Amino acid sequence: MGELYTTDILRWTTKIPHQGRLQGADGTVVKTSRICGSRLTVDVNFQGGHIKEFAQEVKACALGQATAAIVGQHVIGLDAQEFSNIQALFTDMVAGQDVDFPEKWRDLDLLRPVQNHPGRKGSVMLPFECLREIFNL
């Protein structure tokens, strides 16, 4: 279990960007992990198919917080195609496959040990589940 809660992961929990809510959002999604009870609320505004504004309310374990922080650092400007590519890579990694993230998303590699802990997978998938619904994928 110590491999999951590294210093790097714990550092991410202190720098979750875009915390809060957006008033009048174009889309809002709330997801809760059935496995652990972690919960993520996401609000977005779009412009030209790209996320223009983003807010998130994170009530999750350290792994869920770290994932929300890592995804949140690159969410402004994200479009459905880039998201779909990153989601596929992340899902494959969590399932145990060897993947190579683009440089911009390389911090997601920190979550690789979760592949050996099925009870933790629900929390790390929350940002991806929310964004998948936001993009209607």
Side-chain angles (χ1 to χ4, degrees):
M1 207 53 101
E3 68 185 1
L4 285 175
Y5 299 100
T6 65
T7 302
D8 288 331
I9 290 289
L10 296 176
R11 275 192 196 116
W12 276 106
T13 67
T14 66
K15 43 187 183 177
I16 301 171
H18 312 291
Q19 292 189 69
R21 300 294 308 271
L22 292 178
Q23 297 300 314
D26 294 335
T28 298
V29 174
V30 179
K31 293 287 182 180
T32 303
S33 169
R34 284 182 266 149
I35 298 170
C36 66
S38 290
R39 182 182 177 105
L40 180 62
T41 303
V42 167
D43 296 315
V44 299
N45 283 320
F46 286 100
Q47 183 174 33
H50 298 262
I51 294 177
K52 179 183 177 186
E53 294 179 296
F54 177 85
Q56 59 184 345
E57 210 169 63
V58 183
K59 295 180 179 175
C61 67
L63 295 169
Q65 290 176 42
T67 309
I70 293 168
V71 171
Q73 74 176 334
H74 300 300
V75 76
I76 301 298
L78 189 66
D79 65 13
Q81 181 61 54
E82 182 182 6
F83 169 71
S84 184
N85 293 339
I86 296 307
Q87 177 196 17
L89 288 171
F90 190 76
T91 301
D92 287 348
M93 182 193 75
V94 169
Q97 296 181 33
D98 190 27
V99 302
D100 187 26
F101 290 105
E103 183 63 33
K104 175 179 171 180
W105 294 94
R106 191 75 25 107
D107 290 322
L108 290 171
D109 271 326
L110 294 172
L111 297 155
R112 190 172 301 276
V114 85
Q115 61 192 214
N116 300 319
H117 301 275
R120 301 295 187 255
K121 292 179 182 181
S123 185
V124 299
M125 293 305 299
L126 287 176
F128 294 94
E129 291 172 5
C130 286
L131 287 170
R132 184 177 64 233
E133 192 168 316
I134 286 288
F135 281 114
N136 296 312
L137 299 176

